[in-house]
């Protein structure tokens, strides 16, 4: 598994103080190490897409990030803009209050609107359910809503709101969505051992800013 671990990794730079030079550096690293994608805030999509041109590395952008407390039409607009700029994947944050309130209909409506826009642009949608703020029952509800709404992946965490990926959460999410949907573990995945444990639990993608440490078998320091 260690040989192709890079192909699972979304090489991530979401810090608010990230510079253009930082974005160009992670793009170069992603090409060098063969990561699946580079994950950036929407303002950096054009820069990343240009830097990645000619390589198989995708550009991923976050939407409604990191709180999820953005009106659905704004999430749709943000997602469309990122896809228009060249993002091949969108990671959106759900309305966490809806999940905590057990409001499945609100969750489905929010996710489906973004999923439709993203799929129109021939991109894929990952849905961040922010496991650290939910009880297990609410995590299941959010995963079920993601499936119903037509998402392509469910994702554990933003890495910005406390609590990261755990083997227990990945196991629960995989059991809930079944074998076909993607499951992305993100937040606190810092080592090859961490990543392998997540994959063994059912993760098909790893979100990490410690991607290089992971593929080298070293220990990363970042929370994301």
């Amino acid at each position: 598994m260690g040989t192709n671990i890079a192909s699972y990794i979304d090489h991530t730079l979401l810090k608010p103080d990230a510079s253009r030079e930082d974005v160009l550096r992670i793009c170069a690293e992603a090409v060098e190490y063969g990561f699946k994608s580079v994950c950036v805030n929407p303002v950096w999509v054009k820069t990343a897409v240009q830097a990645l041109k000619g390589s198989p590395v995708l550009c991923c952008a976050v939407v409604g990030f990191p709180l999820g407390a953005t009106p659905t039409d704004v999430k749709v607009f943000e997602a469309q803009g990122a896809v228009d700029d060249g993002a091949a994947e969108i990671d959106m944050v759900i309305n966490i209050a809806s999940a905590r309130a057990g409001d499945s209909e609100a969750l489905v409506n929010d996710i489906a609107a973004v999923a439709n826009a993203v799929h129109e642009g021939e991109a894929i949608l990952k849905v961040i359910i922010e496991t650290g703020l939910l009880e297990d029952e609410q995590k299941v509800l959010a995963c079920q809503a993601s499936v119903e709404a037509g998402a392509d992946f469910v994702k554990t965490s933003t890495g910005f709101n406390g609590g990261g990926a755990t083997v227990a959460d990945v196991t629960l999410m995989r059991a809930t969505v079944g074998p076909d949907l993607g499951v992305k573990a993100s937040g606190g995945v810092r080592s090859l051992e961490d990543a392998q444990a997540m994959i063994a639990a059912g993760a098909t993608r790893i979100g990490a800013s410690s991607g290089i440490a992971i593929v080298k078998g070293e220990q990363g320091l970042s929370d994301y």
Side-chain angles (χ1 to χ4, degrees):
M1 195 184 292
T3 52
N4 69 343
I5 197 83
S7 66
Y8 283 84
I9 294 173
D10 290 346
H11 196 37
T12 302
L13 178 64
L14 296 169
K15 296 185 304 183
D17 56 344
S19 67
R20 185 172 187 275
E21 289 70 30
D22 292 333
V23 173
L24 294 176
R25 175 178 50 77
I26 69 152
C27 289
E29 290 168 354
V31 172
E32 179 184 352
Y33 287 93
F35 295 132
K36 180 70 175 181
S37 84
V38 164
C39 189
V40 293
N41 282 299
V43 71
W44 295 116
V45 170
K46 282 183 179 175
T47 303
V49 168
Q50 184 63 37
L52 296 168
K53 189 176 282 185
S55 84
V57 182
L58 306 174
C59 178
C60 170
V62 292
V63 162
F65 194 91
L67 303 179
T70 310
T72 299
D73 58 347
V74 179
K75 290 182 185 178
V76 169
F77 183 80
E78 188 176 24
Q80 285 172 329
V83 172
D84 287 348
D85 285 347
E89 302 187 340
I90 298 295
D91 289 16
M92 73 168 279
V93 187
I94 62 164
N95 184 322
I96 295 160
S98 296
R100 288 173 63 90
D103 191 343
S104 177
E105 184 180 2
L107 284 173
V108 171
N109 290 342
D110 186 50
I111 298 164
V114 179
N116 291 340
V118 169
H119 292 154
E120 262 180 38
E122 298 184 349
I124 78 162
L125 179 66
K126 307 192 204 92
V127 176
I128 307 171
I129 67 169
E130 201 64 288
T131 48
L133 300 179
L134 304 180
E135 303 295 334
D136 281 0
E137 188 180 332
Q138 298 161 347
K139 296 168 194 173
V140 169
L141 181 84
C143 287
Q144 289 171 336
S146 300
V147 172
E148 187 178 334
D152 302 289
F153 272 77
V154 288
K155 174 178 167 183
T156 57
S157 321
T158 61
F160 283 72
N161 293 321
T166 67
V167 166
D169 282 337
V170 171
T171 302
L172 178 67
M173 292 164 71
R174 171 56 68 203
T176 303
V177 302
D180 299 328
L181 216 71
V183 175
K184 179 174 170 180
S186 61
V189 183
R190 301 187 189 95
S191 68
L192 178 59
E193 190 178 33
D194 288 344
Q196 287 174 331
M198 297 302 170
I199 292 166
T204 49
R205 195 78 66 88
I206 303 291
S209 53
S210 302
I212 293 173
I214 290 169
V215 297
K216 286 184 169 180
E218 298 167 358
Q219 181 73 32
L221 302 174
S222 172
D223 286 338
Y224 193 95

